[in-house]
Amino acid sequence: MRDASEWTEVGGQAGTTPGGLYADEAGARWYVKCPASDDHARSEVLANRLYRLAGTGVPDTELVLRDGRLAVASARVAGVTLGEVMDTAQAAAVCADFAADAWLANRDVLGADLDNVLIGPGGAVVRIDQGGALAYRARGARKADFGQEVIEFDSLRDPRSNAAGASVFGAMAPHALAASIAKVARLTPAAIADGVIAVYGETPAARELSALLIARQADLVRRTPRGAVAVAAEARR
């Protein structure tokens, strides 16, 4: 694990979590966040890893040390925010990975101003902030309702509970929901467990979290809209 304590600050904080833009020893630029706890830092890196496993666009991230504590370093990504350029095509591209957002309980995936998703060169969609995924809220509080039921499959599309999410995900058709679920459904239990172990090590906590994620995956698959199962099956091939 690299120590980022001596990296050179080249830009200020973005978002609510303490952090800034830094250049490492080789001059590469990283946005370094310092969550309130080491476990929150691990959780964010794990969510990023699981997104990538599902084929979702995310930045390169790694755990680093900063002043003796764990921090999250994310490689700088070029692009403009979804809020600046959103149209029907961009919304559809973001929706392609909706089920991964729900599976990982990333309730702040879009950001209040649709600024947690960047549209890069060629229209590539990149989710840049996983601090509100899994068991944690963006500011570090633990979620009381992060369990085997993927409540985010509904709440992220409901304007009463998540206005930002509903503005993009709310009008998804059954076939689009099924296709996004299929991207998560094709992940094997072993691949999910390996992803957790890579961040948490071979620990009881890792085994418990792996089992929870596998149960959430199964719950998500059960939510595939009736009549769209064939779409999901085709996408898994």
Side-chain angles (χ1 to χ4, degrees):
M1 185 181 300
R2 295 196 289 170
D3 191 334
S5 301
E6 300 302 319
W7 289 5
T8 302
E9 185 171 4
V10 294
Q13 178 175 325
T16 58
T17 303
L21 185 64
Y22 291 82
D24 67 12
E25 303 88 344
R29 294 194 172 193
W30 302 79
Y31 188 81
V32 181
K33 293 172 60 175
C34 302
S37 70
D38 285 356
D39 192 64
H40 191 188
R42 290 189 184 93
S43 177
E44 181 164 352
V45 170
L46 172 60
N48 207 72
R49 177 181 287 267
L50 293 173
Y51 264 126
R52 179 161 287 171
L53 189 65
T56 305
V58 291
D60 291 332
T61 63
E62 62 180 86
L63 286 170
V64 297
L65 289 173
R66 184 152 185 86
D67 300 325
R69 295 183 54 184
L70 288 184
V72 179
S74 300
R76 189 179 184 188
V77 176
V80 296
T81 70
L82 177 63
E84 294 176 274
V85 298
M86 191 175 75
D87 57 21
T88 301
Q90 297 294 1
V94 175
C95 287
D97 290 288
F98 162 74
D101 301 323
W103 176 49
L104 299 175
N106 196 356
R107 301 170 188 177
D108 192 38
V109 57
L110 302 177
D113 298 314
L114 306 185
D115 54 352
N116 281 349
V117 174
L118 294 185
I119 308 301
V125 175
V126 184
R127 285 153 164 82
I128 61 171
D129 189 344
Q130 280 54 267
L134 300 175
Y136 286 93
R137 299 187 184 279
R139 297 190 180 186
R142 289 187 68 90
K143 299 169 185 168
D145 53 357
F146 176 63
Q148 295 186 6
E149 184 180 357
V150 186
I151 59 175
E152 294 78 10
F153 187 77
D154 295 319
S155 65
L156 277 171
R157 296 182 291 135
D158 187 343
R160 295 169 298 181
S161 58
N162 196 313
S167 71
V168 177
F169 303 131
M172 287 181 70
H175 72 274
L177 291 169
S180 74
I181 290 172
K183 294 183 71 173
V184 178
R186 66 172 174 249
L187 303 181
T188 66
I192 294 170
D194 286 347
V196 177
I197 290 169
V199 177
Y200 281 87
E202 293 270 11
T203 64
R207 289 192 291 273
E208 182 178 347
L209 182 53
S210 297
L212 177 57
L213 287 165
I214 292 166
R216 285 178 65 87
Q217 179 195 41
D219 181 68
L220 187 62
V221 171
R222 285 193 291 270
R223 295 170 183 269
T224 303
R226 187 173 299 174
V229 175
V231 174
E234 179 65 25
R236 285 198 297 272
R237 291 178 183 174

